């Protein structure tokens, strides 16, 4: 078991060279746990039987732990800065609502109690329309993907969008992403919600991810808030490439959101994969990011309080005042 875990951890380290090996990196915590637990159990069994304890087992376990640390530590240790001072505030809820959600009323109740300004849902299919209808009582404006093919991504807001769009690659090959542009006292607010497919098949995932990155680069990244179910962990080459290619800051640092409904016999509350991510443009700062309770979905929700940069607001206000001055109106 230790040698298998070591092989998988080493494959994870090589994910940047071969996208097929990157599949192992998403389960890096599993390789770390099994790589250390297996030699410990083996040593205990050997001692109870007065057999030899092989140092090679411990060396392999240490190698697994080192591999896990090399990939996971940068994300777990680098915490995002929290904002302070003045600036426009915004509250957002992100949730993959799951097409098999067993508690739509409870999910809607919790979200509405948070009094969000923006709610971004994935897997908001026809089964979850009662959830969307409940939320639209307080957030009446909806942006989603167009077209005949089903789209799972929905953005709900209190204010109407000035413009909006989606990112569907085709009816037979959809990319569930939608975006909206909203007016605010400090300038435009851009929100994009997305659900990227699983890492496998590799080529299909990378094609959708490249399309997403290209679209984001056509939008004003400084103003953008990008949220969604990325189906990728922070220590995978897939997500690291998004971090590298976008002029955005990921503020979700190792926040496990899946599974919330149990997995392979694990307790229902044991989430170990950070699949849901939040990216912010330079005009936004994080005030608070918390994982919500277990609802009817297989993902945990994320509650995010944001603040627009006060410096940006002052610059925008100065520009607005200058534009409205008597000299400017002449």
């Amino acid at each position: 078991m230790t040698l298998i875990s070591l092989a998988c951890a080493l494959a994870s380290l090589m994910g940047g060279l071969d996208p097929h090996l990157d599949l192992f990196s998403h389960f890096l915590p599993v390789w770390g746990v099994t790589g250390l637990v297996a030699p410990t159990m083996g040593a205990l069994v050997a001692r109870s039987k007065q057999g030899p304890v092989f140092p090679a087992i411990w060396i392999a376990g240490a190698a697994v732990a080192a591999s896990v640390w090399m990939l996971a530590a940068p994300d777990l240790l680098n915490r995002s800065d929290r904002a302070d001072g003045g600036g426009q505030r915004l509250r957002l809820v992100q949730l993959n609502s799951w097409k098999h959600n067993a508690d739509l009323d409870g999910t809607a109740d919790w979200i509405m109690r948070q009094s969000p300004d923006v709610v971004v849902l994935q897997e908001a299919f026809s089964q979850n329309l009662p959830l969307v209808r409940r939320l639209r009582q307080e957030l009446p404006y909806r942006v989603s993907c167009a077209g005949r093919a089903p789209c799972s991504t929905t953005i709900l807001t209190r204010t109407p969008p000035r413009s909006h769009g989606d990112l569907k690659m085709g009816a037979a090959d959809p990319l569930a992403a939608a975006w909206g542009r909203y007016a605010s006292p400090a300038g435009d607010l851009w929100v994009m919600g997305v659900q990227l497919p699983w890492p496998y098949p590799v080529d299909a995932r990378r094609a959708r991810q490249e399309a997403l990155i290209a679209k984001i680069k056509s939008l004003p990244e400084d103003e953008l808030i990008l949220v969604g179910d990325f189906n990728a962990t922070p220590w995978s080459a897939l997500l690291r490439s998004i971090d590298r290619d976008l002029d955005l800051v990921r503020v979700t640092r190792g926040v496990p959101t899946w599974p919330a409904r149990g997995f392979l016999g694990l307790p229902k509350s044991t989430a170990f994969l950070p699949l849901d991510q939040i990216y912010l443009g330079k005009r936004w700062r994080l005030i608070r990011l918390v994982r919500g309770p277990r609802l009817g979905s297989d993902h945990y929700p994320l509650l995010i309080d944001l603040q627009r940069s006060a410096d940006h607001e002052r610059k925008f206000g100065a520009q607005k005042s200058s534009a409205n001055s008597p000299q400017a109106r002449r």
Side-chain angles (χ1 to χ4, degrees):
M1 180 66 74
T2 299
L3 295 179
I4 293 175
S5 300
L6 176 60
C8 292
L10 292 176
S12 301
L13 290 173
M14 301 177 66
L17 302 176
D18 187 336
H20 293 87
L21 294 178
D22 191 44
L23 296 173
F24 292 95
S25 67
H26 299 286
F27 294 92
L28 198 65
V30 176
W31 316 138
V33 171
T34 56
L36 292 176
V37 169
T40 301
M41 294 180 63
L44 293 175
V45 171
R47 177 172 294 182
S48 65
K49 295 182 178 181
Q50 295 183 348
V53 178
F54 298 102
I57 296 180
W58 289 101
I59 294 174
V64 171
S67 301
V68 169
W69 181 253
M70 287 173 62
L71 281 179
D75 196 85
L76 296 177
L77 294 179
N78 293 331
R79 297 294 173 178
S80 300
D81 294 335
R82 261 51 174 182
D84 53 13
Q88 178 193 4
R89 300 295 181 96
L90 184 78
R91 172 165 287 189
L92 184 148
V93 170
Q94 145 67 25
L95 174 63
N96 181 328
S97 57
W98 199 35
K99 59 185 177 182
H100 301 300
N101 193 310
D103 187 12
L104 295 177
D105 287 337
T107 301
D109 289 342
W110 182 86
I111 293 175
M112 294 173 73
R113 285 197 301 270
Q114 312 314 309
S115 299
D117 302 294
V118 181
V119 173
V120 182
L121 302 174
Q122 294 82 44
E123 296 197 25
F125 291 120
S126 58
Q127 302 95 314
N128 291 344
L129 283 181
L131 168 63
V132 175
R133 293 193 189 102
R134 282 279 311 278
L135 295 177
R136 292 189 73 179
Q137 295 175 12
E138 292 191 11
L139 300 103
Y141 300 100
R142 179 184 183 185
V143 169
S144 186
C145 305
R148 295 181 178 180
C151 176
S152 69
T153 299
T154 292
I155 303 173
L156 302 173
T157 56
R158 298 181 184 275
T159 58
R162 299 181 64 183
S163 60
H164 61 88
D166 56 38
L167 201 61
K168 303 200 75 174
M169 299 176 66
D173 190 22
L175 174 57
W179 58 268
R181 174 192 176 196
Y182 306 89
S184 77
D188 285 347
L189 159 68
W190 297 74
V191 178
M192 175 178 281
V194 64
Q195 183 179 20
L196 283 167
W198 289 1
Y200 188 85
V202 172
D203 292 340
R205 161 64 191 237
R206 288 194 171 271
R208 291 174 174 88
Q209 183 164 308
E210 290 171 1
L212 174 67
I213 291 173
K215 178 59 183 180
I216 291 173
K217 287 187 172 296
S218 72
L219 301 176
E221 290 185 75
D222 283 1
E223 306 286 350
L224 183 63
I225 301 171
L226 172 66
V227 303
D229 175 7
F230 284 70
N231 272 311
T233 57
W235 34 81
S236 66
L238 274 176
L239 204 66
R240 294 202 306 271
S241 67
I242 295 179
D243 294 348
R244 181 183 63 250
D245 294 339
L246 292 180
D247 193 20
L248 303 171
V249 176
R250 178 167 50 84
V251 296
T252 40
R253 294 291 185 176
V255 182
T257 56
W258 186 91
R261 306 297 300 177
F263 180 73
L264 296 179
L266 294 173
K268 291 183 177 181
S269 59
T270 305
F272 61 94
L273 293 184
L275 299 183
D276 298 271
Q277 313 297 340
I278 313 292
Y279 286 85
L280 301 180
K282 293 178 180 178
R283 304 306 188 193
W284 292 98
R285 299 291 183 270
L286 178 66
I287 299 175
R288 183 177 67 137
L289 191 158
V290 296
R291 191 183 75 177
R294 184 166 64 91
L295 302 172
S297 173
D298 63 339
H299 284 243
Y300 283 92
L302 293 175
L303 175 64
I304 308 100
D305 287 326
L306 304 174
Q307 173 183 302
R308 189 184 288 270
S309 169
D311 290 340
H312 176 57
E313 290 199 9
R314 284 193 290 270
K315 292 177 182 178
F316 180 83
Q319 293 170 358
K320 187 174 182 180
S321 299
S322 176
N324 291 333
S325 66
Q327 292 83 358
R329 291 196 294 267
R330 289 176 183 171

